[in-house]
């Protein structure tokens, strides 16, 4: 009977301590790399989209006289478009959202 008790606590230790801590550690490391990717994207490079806008980080600069091929009648002014998540806990790829905003779909 003592053998079964020792085996139970040994298995409990392996599964509970080592296994669960491994899973928790992997979630923490994954979250860190996601945040790192988001920070690198926000710093980012300038990206030109078909003469429509210049995306730099989470901000796009565009001329409002022509947006996605449509003449708007507004001239001579540069506008800034920024996208922010509605909730603080939401990860948002601002560059991809701005890119889809200024890209024509046919």
């Amino acid at each position: 009977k003592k053998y079964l008790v020792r085996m139970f606590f040994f298995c409990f230790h392996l599964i509970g301590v080592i296994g669960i801590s491994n899973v928790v550690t992997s979630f923490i490391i994954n979250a860190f790399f996601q945040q790192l990717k988001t920070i690198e994207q926000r710093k980012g490079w300038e990206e030109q989209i078909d003469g429509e806008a210049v995306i730099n980080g989470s901000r796009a600069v565009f001329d409002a006289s022509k947006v996605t091929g449509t003449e708007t009648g507004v001239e001579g002014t540069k506008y800034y478009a920024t996208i922010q998540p509605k909730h603080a806990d939401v990860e948002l790829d601002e560059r991809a959202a701005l890119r889809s905003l200024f890209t024509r779909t046919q």
Side-chain angles (χ1 to χ4, degrees), residues 34-45 56-58 92-96:
Q34 285 179 345
Q35 288 291 333
L36 184 64
K37 181 180 175 185
T38 302
I39 290 169
E40 287 175 354
Q41 285 177 348
R42 287 184 180 158
K43 289 180 182 177
W45 62 96
N56 187 2
S58 63
L92 178 68
D93 185 4
E94 293 97 349
R95 294 180 74 82

Side-chain angles (χ1 to χ4, degrees), residues 47 49 52-53 55 60 67-68 83 92-105:
E47 179 179 353
I49 299 180
E52 298 277 343
I55 298 175
V67 179
T68 61
I83 293 182
L92 178 68
D93 185 4
E94 293 97 349
R95 294 180 74 82
L98 287 169
R99 192 178 307 111
S100 69
L101 179 67
F102 287 104
T103 304
R104 280 186 241 164
T105 55

Side-chain angles (χ1 to χ4, degrees), residues 84-98:
Q84 296 177 347
K86 190 172 184 178
H87 302 287
D89 61 341
V90 175
E91 287 295 320
L92 178 68
D93 185 4
E94 293 97 349
R95 294 180 74 82
L98 287 169

Side-chain angles (χ1 to χ4, degrees), residues 7-91:
M7 187 59 118
F8 170 78
F9 282 109
F10 179 73
C11 290
F12 179 79
H13 178 73
L14 281 179
I15 293 171
V17 175
I18 297 172
I20 300 299
S21 68
N22 192 11
V23 170
V24 170
T25 304
S26 67
F27 277 112
I28 291 171
I29 291 172
N30 188 28
F32 170 76
F33 281 119
Q34 285 179 345
Q35 288 291 333
L36 184 64
K37 181 180 175 185
T38 302
I39 290 169
E40 287 175 354
Q41 285 177 348
R42 287 184 180 158
K43 289 180 182 177
W45 62 96
E46 284 192 353
E47 179 179 353
Q48 181 78 29
I49 299 180
D50 298 328
E52 298 277 343
V54 176
I55 298 175
N56 187 2
S58 63
R59 185 170 92 170
V61 181
F62 64 98
D63 183 11
S65 63
K66 188 175 186 181
V67 179
T68 61
T70 306
E71 295 290 333
T72 61
V74 178
E75 292 189 23
T77 308
K78 298 285 185 187
Y79 288 92
Y80 298 97
T82 59
I83 293 182
Q84 296 177 347
K86 190 172 184 178
H87 302 287
D89 61 341
V90 175
E91 287 295 320

